[in-house]
Amino acid sequence: LLSQDQLEAEERSRVQRSQSTALVSTRREPPPYGFRKSWVPRALEDFGDGGAFPEIHVAQFPLEMGRKKRTSNALAVQVDAEGKIKYDAIARQGQSKDKVIFSKYTDMLPKEVLNEDDPELQKPDEEAVNELTEKTRAALEKQVSQKIAAAMPVRAADKLAPAQYIRYTPSQQGLAFNSGAKQRVIRMVEMQKDAMEPPRFKINKKIPRGPPSPPAPVMHSPSRKMTVKEQQEWKIPPCISNWKNAKGYTIPLDKRLAADGRGLQTVHINENFAKLAEALYIADRKAREAVEMRAQVEKKMAQKEKEKKEEKLRELAKMARDRRAGIKAHGDKGGEDTEVRERDEIRHERRKERQHDRNISRAAPDKRSKLQRDQDRDISELIALGQPNPRTSSEAQYDQRLFNQNKGMDSGFAGGEDEIYNVYDQPFRGGRDMAQNIYRPSKNADKDMYGDDLDTLMQSSRFVPDREFSGADHGPRRDGPVQFEEDPFGLDKFLEEAKQHGGSKRASTSGRSKDYDHEKKRRKE
Amino acid sequence: MFVLLQDVQKHSVHTLVFRSLKRTHDMFVSDHAKAVALDDQSYKMKMAVKMRAEYKPVLHMPVLKEGRERGPLHASDPYGQLGYPLPGALPHYLVTGTHPYPSAPGVALTAETQMQKMPFLNSGLLPRKAPTMPKPQWHPPWKLYRVISGHLGWVRSIAVEPGNQWFVTGSADRTIKIWDLASGKLKLSLTGHISTVRGVAVSTRSPYLFSCGEDKQVKCWDLEYNKVIRHYHGHLSAVYDLDLHPTIDVLVTCSRDATARVWDIRSKANVHTLSGHTNTVATVKCQSAEPQVVTGSHDTTIRLWDLVAGKTRATLTNHKKSVRALVLHPRQYTFASGSPDNIKQWKCPDGNFIQNLSGHNAIINTLAVNSDGVLVSGADNGTIHMWDWRTGYNFQRIHAAVQPGSLDSESGIFACVFDQSESRLITAEADKTIKVYKEDDTATEESHPVNWKPEILKRKRF
């Protein structure tokens, strides 16, 4: 039951007693177990090489373990040789003391302009440079050779360095250690490397890169802030290609053209275009006028010709009429004449029309006759033209939709089918009505008049003029119903002359009527 | 001078010493309390000698700005050195002699012993010097005298042969052409690259030509056979620039993959991969003194590298925009870097900032420097600015016209070099021509005067 002080005093005396000259570790050993009653470990050394003492009821932190440390990465404020605070300690955290780091404001300031041959600005002298070169070359050689050796195949085993001998004086001394000896001699030999050993470690693993070296302090003022105006100046409109549209965006037309810049250009048209157009217009008008005038003139000419011809014809006709009138007896055959004439005219006209149609069909076979055209006409056209109205048929007409009632709603509607046209069940008038309207005489049209066999009747040769009895002589051949004799007295001739002289001197162009003049002509001949 | 009237008597040492003591006593017995009166001339001489002998290295120390502003400007004294004025000139300074009594403030023994006012007004103990702006050296202006066309694409790089007979150009038409320097005629065309040739270099130690391109290839051409003999494989992206070490057989290339690689020429091994940049490394320069490798990058930093370890020595972050051009001064221990904000000069080996050369507000693609101190900066818009290296005075601006047939927007300078005689400047341009400039002989100092308007107080902050 010794107090701490007494224990210390004992220790001191013990030390004094052992008068050894060898190095002894002066360690403060804690008192052995059982003798620790009023002993409290205060310093780190009091723990010796052991831990805390559970029987001593005091908070103990051997090796500083167990203390609540507030870990902060704050650096302690350091002061340099002149007494100024080292503010660049932060910038120099992970690096060696002698690394060149610029962090002061004065590093940014321009220095005074020095003379050219100022010693500060001179390159280091030759020897220093050569020395540096050699050093660098050696280092690089080593690197290169290492790399090449790594790549080259296995060679002979390296000769290892010879053994080294080391004299060692351990710090722990005593009879127990080293069997009482104060020093030891150690023989150090390099371990032999197995030349055939394959590589021991896998180096194909990819690991992420380590953190970079701490960033250097930025030695310039921060960039100027960007104003809104400047930002607007640098705005680039999105690209709208005239060729590609990968996502298939629908882009309004003005944006499509905007990229091209076409809207910005003013279109310059040469004024000669307008002049050309005007000139063409004028020329066209002039040409038309000229053509019109020419046509008019020609029409007038043609008309004049026609009139002339008509005049001539009229005169001829008149002449013929006069001659006829002259030959014929004066009778009031005027009325008959006019009727005959009218009938003739009508006949004439009809013949002409027929001829005309025949000519057309000969000349332009594609051109259909009126009849054919009306046959092929569409119903709307017929209506438009005001062709014969649809005949109300005798039977009552029913709406087709009323039929097929079992079809139900679909009847007539046909389920919405657009292609079917089923509003009407019968055609408008068919083609038969037109055909019905046209008089088409059948073969036996005059059946009720002449009986069935019109052909046989026509070909009967019973009623033949000048049928002679069999065996009779041929009588005088008769050309016409009345056979005239030759002119015995020459009265015709006389009368003609008289007529000719009596009337004006006219060329004797007789009318073309077949019946009379043809006869006359024959008589003359 | 003096005529010896009598022979010098030979006395013993004891006698001589006693005599001298006696004489001293006689001289000073009357008032030895008083300080020795300073003789003007002797004082001047003493100070001059002392300053030169003991304080010569410190004479031209940079003066702090505070000192300059607050302190009064002194007229330069006759020595042209620091302002240690004469005792009578300004009452502010006094070199006090030795007193038997220590000088206490406020206690004046006699009028003569009165200590004058405190010597310095400011805290800085540096002497204030009248800031004399150095006058820039006059350089004759440069003029264009030859245009060489022959390339079918932008001419991206130029290198001149050490014997100054020919120069090489690399172009965007994937060919490398060798031209005769004197006549400008094409000597040889080399094909082999599959994309733009971005950098060419001719070795001074062996008959090799090195070229690098945007196709990640770095080729070594043997100029005796005009064939490719080596490829340096390893870059992951376009290789933008390359440089050869002047004394060691080592090639350094820099690339768009944010690394620079150091290659052993003979074995094609990639000795070091200098990584640390975070964006394209645009330019690299090698020298034999420290720092041996300097790189400039599009992440606006310049890194100085330790070639032995393959690690960054220092990072210079002063630029605000990409650094596309670097140049090392051939005689001085300085280098310059170019960026669209300004061109900065630095001191080796640690990269201490020296000064700014501002005025060329364009993307600077290339820098070149002369032994006469002419710095040329070539920009992406076709302008060339000529600067005096020492003072930063821009003495000429050139904007050459484009080759006929080219658009005006096709003017830009990608590379420029001085030939080995440093009398011809060869530029590689974007209108597919090579332009050669020389100094105008007819110009004189009077015809092209120096119009130097420096800023006395460098108030700009960078």
Side-chain angles (χ1 to χ4, degrees), chain A residues 105 111 121 136 147 217 219, chain B residues 270 292 317 333 353-354 461:
Chain A
Y105 172 68
K111 310 272 190 315
L121 299 177
T136 319
K147 286 206 193 282
M219 298 297 280
Chain B
N270 179 6
Q292 298 202 47
T317 54
Y333 203 26
F353 175 60
I354 296 177
R461 292 290 165 263

Side-chain angles (χ1 to χ4, degrees), chain A residues 280-299:
Chain A
L280 284 171
Y281 175 66
I282 289 168
D284 179 59
R285 206 174 49 192
K286 286 227 169 75
R288 263 183 227 285
E289 280 172 19
V291 163
E292 235 186 80
M293 261 199 299
R294 216 177 295 134
Q296 274 180 12
V297 161
E298 265 192 38
K299 221 196 305 183

Side-chain angles (χ1 to χ4, degrees), chain B residues 72-187:
Chain B
L73 294 173
H74 306 284
S76 54
D77 61 332
Y79 305 113
Q81 279 165 2
L82 310 168
Y84 271 124
L86 306 172
L90 283 161
H92 290 283
Y93 306 118
L94 188 65
V95 180
T96 54
T98 51
H99 290 263
Y101 304 104
S103 47
V107 174
L109 298 171
T110 61
E112 287 163 290
T113 59
Q114 186 181 19
M115 179 91 157
Q116 299 301 322
K117 279 273 188 313
M118 30 83 95
F120 296 103
L121 287 169
N122 55 347
S123 55
L125 290 164
L126 293 166
R128 280 165 299 202
K129 184 190 152 190
T132 49
M133 275 297 152
K135 199 156 183 292
Q137 184 194 351
W138 181 80
H139 300 283
W142 292 73
K143 67 172 170 51
L144 174 67
Y145 86 101
R146 185 176 284 155
V147 175
I148 302 169
S149 58
H151 272 297
L152 301 171
W154 290 351
V155 190
R156 293 312 294 253
S157 53
I158 282 199
V160 182
E161 186 245 345
N164 220 22
Q165 295 298 311
W166 45 266
F167 64 95
V168 199
T169 55
S171 159
D173 64 357
R174 311 184 306 276
T175 58
I176 299 167
K177 289 191 196 270
I178 300 181
W179 312 81
D180 184 50
L181 190 75
S183 59
K185 298 218 186 318
L186 178 64
K187 286 175 79 163

